[in-house]
Amino acid sequence: MELSVADSFWQKFITDTGRDPEIRCSGDLCFDAEGISNDEKLVLIMTGRKTATFSTLASFLIDGEPLPVSGELYMVFDRSGTPRCIIELESVNIVPFNEVTWGMAQQEGEDNSLEEWKEKQKEYLEDEGAVVGFEFAPDIKLIFQTFRVVYK
């Protein structure tokens, strides 16, 4: 049986890094958002400029998904569906939107100020809430995840 491109990439990661073959991928990520494409974000990740991401606690709870955990490994794909790197979560913290600091927002590598980050995030969260089923509030809980690239 022939392995998929993603399975082959994962096996190469295991072999090249000497990791335990029993380790499993926690999921796949394709970073996409209004105003910045997946491949632009991928460049930020691959160059070490983007080392964090935010998601809403509400989305996880509504979807019944388990929260991410430090140490989990995720395969990151480009927009054509090709695996490009593997990241490892370094930390996972829940923080209210109105308590996000510029230092935290800077780790996303996309904005020039906290005000710009908050404006874009608020718009994104309002849109996501309309689809998923929650309302934006200044103290909405976000899951702040930091990561590092462990394989390219």
Side-chain angles (χ1 to χ4, degrees):
M1 178 198 291
E2 191 173 315
L3 292 176
S4 72
V5 173
D7 289 337
S8 295
F9 189 80
W10 183 260
Q11 290 304 315
K12 189 164 173 22
F13 159 68
I14 294 294
T15 302
D16 290 355
T17 61
R19 297 222 182 195
D20 181 347
E22 297 300 313
I23 292 175
R24 297 288 168 239
C25 184
S26 297
D28 54 68
L29 300 172
C30 187
F31 291 90
D32 223 355
E34 193 173 312
I36 184 166
S37 79
N38 176 64
D39 289 349
E40 290 171 310
K41 286 190 180 193
L42 186 56
V43 168
L44 295 175
I45 291 166
M46 301 282 279
T47 59
R49 244 184 94 197
K50 179 174 180 62
T51 59
T53 190
F54 291 86
S55 46
T56 59
L57 177 60
S59 291
F60 280 86
L61 297 175
I62 291 167
D63 292 341
E65 291 183 40
L67 296 179
V69 177
S70 296
E72 288 182 334
L73 297 165
Y74 291 87
M75 195 175 308
V76 181
F77 291 81
D78 64 20
R79 69 176 164 210
S80 72
T82 303
R84 296 294 307 274
C85 68
I86 294 174
I87 60 171
E88 180 175 10
L89 293 185
E90 293 188 304
S91 66
V92 178
N93 296 292
I94 297 174
V95 60
F97 175 83
N98 57 3
E99 292 181 23
V100 171
T101 66
W102 173 229
M104 295 164 78
Q106 265 183 309
Q107 290 178 68
E108 275 201 313
E110 299 169 32
D111 299 299
N112 296 311
S113 69
L114 182 59
E115 294 72 26
E116 182 181 333
W117 180 89
K118 283 187 174 188
E119 183 178 311
K120 286 163 91 177
Q121 286 295 319
K122 181 178 185 284
E123 185 176 312
Y124 172 80
L125 293 170
E126 288 172 340
D127 290 347
E128 180 185 14
V131 172
V132 177
F134 64 83
E135 296 237 356
F136 173 81
D139 63 348
I140 191 167
K141 304 282 189 277
L142 302 179
I143 301 172
F144 175 58
Q145 304 164 65
T146 63
F147 58 83
R148 67 186 177 97
V149 174
V150 294
Y151 188 74
K152 306 182 200 186

